[in-house]
Amino acid sequence: MSNSSTGEIRIFDVNPALDRAALAEQFSRNRRIQIRDVLTDESARNLHGILARETPWGLAWHAAEDGPHNIRREDLATLSQDERVAIARKLDTAMRGTDYGFTYAQYPMLDAYLKKWSPGSPQDAVLELINDQPFLDLIREVSGIAELVKADAQATLYGPGHFLAQHDDSHVAEGWRLAYVLNLCNTDWRPEWGGYLNFYREDGDIEQGFRPRFNALNLFAVPQRHAVSYVPPFAPPERLAITGWFRDR
């Protein structure tokens, strides 16, 4: 497989016009950055199509001590109404108090790749390309972390009712150095629709927020306090992204 395509379809060409030195300087100031137009427009549109039309969405959820859970699409279809209500109640209880929680649609690309759920799938190709040298080199240059050797990935879709509560990704022992969100939201996203990647000060105020937008890579060193804000019922199901962590082991 080539560095940027699956068959004849381009899905991961890095934008050659990026000013990597300027991006590295910006990242060094706050240990976070949003790189807009990170891929070529053709690649980003093809990648959006894979997520929007070819991804078998399951459900990820976590409520206090119950989780994390990753339910595959075929298993999600068998959940009874009572089971769905029970999950919703657990999430509600956790978030009314001081516990951690999240719920969103997802496809665990690394698990699928390692367990050979669908060998040769577009999602497998995307994971390989995230871990190939052109993209890894971009991340190393921007972050200044030459020790990065690999990344994991999951496809995510935050639709109405979804959220990710505040946390800091403090998994240094597992080799986590950078978290990333490759946004592929192909809609003019309104602030009222939530789904922002927010970063927080110690006093709970929002220090910075990144709007969901098309072909934009959010990259930040961990640990940092962050969350994905609640997506209300009237928002469209278009907050598509590939997320994960770049690792040094």
Side-chain angles (χ1 to χ4, degrees), residues 47-60 70-71 103-112 117 122-124 126-127 130 152-158 162 180-184 239-245:
L47 192 53
H48 173 272
I50 290 171
L51 294 190
R53 296 185 293 274
E54 301 183 49
T55 300
W57 297 107
L59 178 71
N70 295 293
I71 306 173
T103 182
Y104 53 86
Q106 62 98 40
Y107 180 77
M109 295 166 67
L110 180 60
D111 285 349
W117 290 359
Q123 291 81 11
D124 281 2
V126 170
L127 180 64
I130 289 172
D152 53 30
Q154 63 173 334
T156 62
L157 168 58
Y158 282 76
H162 292 162
Y180 73 93
V181 181
L182 176 54
N183 279 291
L184 292 154
R239 205 272 195 187
L240 294 158
I242 299 171
T243 69
W245 296 270

Side-chain angles (χ1 to χ4, degrees), residues 200-223:
Y200 298 90
R201 298 189 179 96
E202 289 297 324
D203 63 4
D205 283 349
I206 295 174
E207 184 173 50
Q208 188 174 17
F210 290 147
R211 176 188 181 219
R213 49 174 41 95
F214 182 68
N215 195 14
L217 177 68
N218 300 332
L219 186 70
F220 57 99
V222 295

Side-chain angles (χ1 to χ4, degrees), residues 51-127:
L51 294 190
R53 296 185 293 274
E54 301 183 49
T55 300
W57 297 107
L59 178 71
W61 69 276
H62 187 127
E65 300 302 317
D66 193 351
H69 298 277
N70 295 293
I71 306 173
R72 294 182 65 175
R73 180 171 69 175
E74 53 267 36
D75 298 323
L76 186 61
T78 68
L79 287 183
S80 69
Q81 183 62 27
D82 286 346
E83 289 172 317
R84 294 173 184 270
V85 169
I87 292 172
R89 285 176 176 167
K90 288 179 179 180
L91 288 163
D92 184 73
T93 298
M95 299 315 297
R96 284 179 182 272
T98 59
D99 292 313
Y100 175 65
F102 61 72
T103 182
Y104 53 86
Q106 62 98 40
Y107 180 77
M109 295 166 67
L110 180 60
D111 285 349
Y113 187 91
L114 295 176
K115 296 176 183 178
K116 301 185 184 304
W117 290 359
S118 182
S121 69
Q123 291 81 11
D124 281 2
V126 170
L127 180 64

Side-chain angles (χ1 to χ4, degrees), residues 169-187:
D169 285 348
S170 55
H171 293 66
V172 177
E174 298 179 27
W176 293 12
R177 300 293 300 275
L178 300 167
Y180 73 93
V181 181
L182 176 54
N183 279 291
L184 292 154
C185 177
N186 199 21
T187 296

